[in-house]
Amino acid sequence: MITGTEKPIEEILAMVEPYQRLILAGCHGCVTVCRVGGAKEVQVLASTLRLAREAAGRPLEIHEVSLERQCDPEYVEKLRGLVGGYQAVLSIACGAGIQFLAEKFPATPLLPGINTGFLGVTVRQGEWSERCQGCGDCILHLTGGICPVTRCAKSLFHGPCGGSVRGSCEVDKEIPCGWQLIIDRLEALGQMENYGRLKPCKGWSSARDGGPRRIIREDML
Amino acid sequence: MVVGCLQGDCHYISGNIRARARVERVLAILGKIGIGGERLRMFNLSAGEGGKFAAFAREFVDSIREQGPSPVNLVRAGSGQPAEAEGGR
């Protein structure tokens, strides 16, 4: 999922300061799962903002809404009849969802209510961890299902660097060395021959380096 | 005022500990937006501690009375200076 974290309430209050009527839009996708942008978080944030603004003598009218997904046009359209009646939309979806709303409603200011994080997994309730950087050229079949691009702080492709100490990364002892994880797993799977089958060099043309990417599926157009 | 069962003695094992974490989060929010985090307290009691419950309730009521009406109520009544949240205007 795409993870996110709450923005400090002071930052959100400063963002909404010029407005008296706004829409607070959540998303039932990833940000609901990581408990930062779903229907429940819409209610909590809306109540917080209303209280803060009322206590400050500048009441704020908030229309609470949660879309199935803010990154798909059919769900975003549900806001169309609503946005004209409000001064701004505060979205607590990921950056993709917020930008999509901005594209669809060009006359309405869009405010980000969360900080978007990474592509990750739920390690346990309340803890999420990064697993994928979307490099566009997956080689997990060669690395025991552990991504060197993400799990190695340097995104190295041919084994650990000199900073790998007793299984930990030199960046932080709490971070396991990605390459230690890969080699341990390849050994456990009896697939150490894969270690020598890694590509001589990683092509980054499918990653972010070429600018914003897009996918076109001719069979679906 | 939120009352949970004694730590280590929760029917839901860690429910009261989680509840405390959530209460502390709300408390931090109330503090940051100028309402005052001290308007919310959590106590841990067993079902057999009626006397203690009454004492905590009295203490909390006294504390709320001492603090006076919330800034929201003062603004609604038109008799108070608006509160300023952290971060301000």
Side-chain angles (χ1 to χ4, degrees):
Chain A
M1 87 189 88
I2 298 172
T3 59
T5 51
E6 289 176 328
K7 267 191 182 293
I9 191 67
E10 306 90 316
E11 195 180 329
I12 300 178
L13 280 169
M15 258 191 282
V16 304
E17 180 60 32
Y19 306 109
Q20 291 82 47
R21 285 167 56 79
L22 56 81
I23 294 172
L24 174 49
C27 176
H28 291 170
C30 311
V31 290
T32 289
V33 183
C34 66
R35 308 277 189 92
V36 74
K40 189 174 172 184
E41 289 74 31
V42 165
Q43 291 175 346
V44 171
L45 182 56
S47 301
T48 305
L49 294 175
R50 283 193 196 103
L51 270 176
R53 285 287 295 266
E54 193 164 357
R58 299 185 299 282
L60 179 62
E61 184 186 332
I62 301 177
H63 181 95
E64 300 174 28
V65 64
S66 256
L67 304 180
E68 195 58 33
R69 285 192 294 276
Q70 288 193 22
C71 56
D72 270 324
E74 59 265 45
Y75 302 117
V76 169
E77 282 307 307
K78 291 183 177 172
L79 279 185
R80 190 161 297 281
L82 205 59
V83 288
Y86 292 86
Q87 297 167 303
V89 176
L90 172 63
S91 167
I92 52 173
C94 71
I98 300 169
Q99 288 184 65
F100 206 42
L101 292 188
E103 282 170 45
K104 296 293 180 188
F105 308 116
T108 304
L110 256 295
L111 316 170
I114 68 165
N115 290 322
T116 304
F118 47 77
L119 299 185
V121 297
T122 307
V123 178
R124 58 183 169 145
Q125 181 164 307
E127 182 181 346
W128 295 271
S129 173
E130 187 168 19
R131 289 291 182 274
C132 179
Q133 291 195 16
C135 76
D137 185 17
C138 192
I139 46 91
L140 285 170
H141 60 299
L142 296 175
T143 55
I146 295 161
C147 174
V149 177
T150 311
R151 306 297 293 277
C152 169
K154 295 176 179 170
S155 296
L156 294 180
F157 246 69
H158 304 97
C161 71
S164 175
V165 182
R166 286 187 284 279
S168 289
C169 177
E170 66 180 341
V171 168
D172 184 339
K173 282 179 186 158
E174 295 297 310
I175 301 173
C177 165
W179 272 101
Q180 184 74 56
L181 295 173
I182 291 170
I183 290 167
D184 288 349
R185 182 142 163 86
L186 287 178
E187 274 180 348
L189 292 170
Q191 292 182 346
M192 271 304 283
E193 73 277 7
N194 282 349
Y195 189 29
R197 287 178 56 210
L198 289 172
K199 293 180 181 182
C201 58
K202 160 82 174 160
W204 292 99
S205 58
S206 57
R208 264 282 301 150
D209 304 342
R213 294 167 283 177
R214 61 180 183 156
I215 297 168
I216 296 176
R217 282 273 304 268
E218 296 289 349
D219 60 320
M220 293 176 70
L221 292 174
Chain B
M1 178 171 168
V2 179
V3 181
C5 42
L6 292 172
Q7 293 212 5
D9 203 21
C10 177
H11 178 74
Y12 297 98
I13 303 167
S14 58
N16 54 352
I17 295 166
R18 282 186 175 168
R20 179 168 288 280
R22 283 155 178 70
V23 167
E24 278 168 12
R25 181 171 172 244
V26 174
L27 198 143
I29 291 172
L30 291 176
K32 280 180 182 169
I33 63 173
I35 302 293
E38 61 283 358
R39 293 181 182 278
L40 176 67
R41 293 263 308 266
M42 179 164 176
F43 300 95
N44 291 88
L45 289 164
S46 83
E49 292 180 304
K52 221 169 172 183
F53 170 75
F56 282 149
R58 278 191 209 100
E59 180 194 320
F60 188 63
V61 167
D62 288 346
S63 145
I64 292 292
R65 286 212 171 105
E66 211 167 281
Q67 291 168 55
S70 86
V72 171
N73 285 340
L74 286 176
V75 169
R76 280 179 188 165
S79 59
Q81 284 296 319
E84 203 55 67
E86 282 179 24
R89 285 168 185 258

